[in-house]
Amino acid sequence: MRKEREEKWLQTPKGMFSVQKRKAKQRGISWQLSYDDWWNIWQESGKWDSRGVGGYVMCRYFDTGPYSMDNVRIDTFQNNSLENYQIMGVD
């Protein structure tokens, strides 16, 4: 029962915020967004219901610097990957 509640919570905005913040920390990336900041970015984008691989993701500009209000955008997974390949010089 506890596992089911946890899995359900992970699908909520607060759960997804927690996961993204934890993954950034595991990757050594500074996280400077409050939950409200993060949620407002998603809400203002209008892309919340289309997020994920094949859809929209929260990206850092040029995949550098912290997750912060002035360094993130909502874009397609494809565009984010393309930008990263271009940075690495892969055609």
Side-chain angles (χ1 to χ4, degrees):
M1 186 77 157
R2 182 177 179 202
K3 186 176 180 180
E4 290 175 12
R5 278 193 309 244
E6 185 176 324
E7 288 176 5
K8 202 173 206 179
W9 179 78
L10 288 173
Q11 298 306 311
T12 67
K14 286 193 177 188
M16 291 182 176
F17 168 81
S18 178
V19 168
Q20 187 175 5
K21 184 178 178 179
R22 183 178 70 242
K23 286 182 177 182
K25 184 177 181 178
Q26 289 170 344
R27 294 166 51 207
I29 301 168
S30 177
W31 186 272
Q32 300 173 7
L33 298 172
S34 68
Y35 170 76
D36 289 337
D37 292 336
W38 178 88
W39 183 239
N40 286 335
I41 291 166
W42 273 110
Q43 290 300 291
E44 288 174 11
S45 77
K47 305 297 184 190
W48 177 254
D49 292 329
S50 300
R51 70 196 177 287
V53 176
Y56 289 86
V57 295
M58 183 175 284
C59 317
R60 293 174 300 135
Y61 289 102
F62 306 107
D63 208 26
T64 61
Y67 281 92
S68 64
M69 290 296 289
D70 61 348
N71 196 45
V72 297
R73 70 184 191 284
I74 304 301
D75 203 343
T76 63
F77 177 84
Q78 182 179 9
N79 283 345
N80 188 47
S81 295
L82 180 61
E83 179 181 81
N84 292 334
Y85 281 121
Q86 290 170 342
I87 291 167
M88 293 186 297
V90 177
D91 291 326

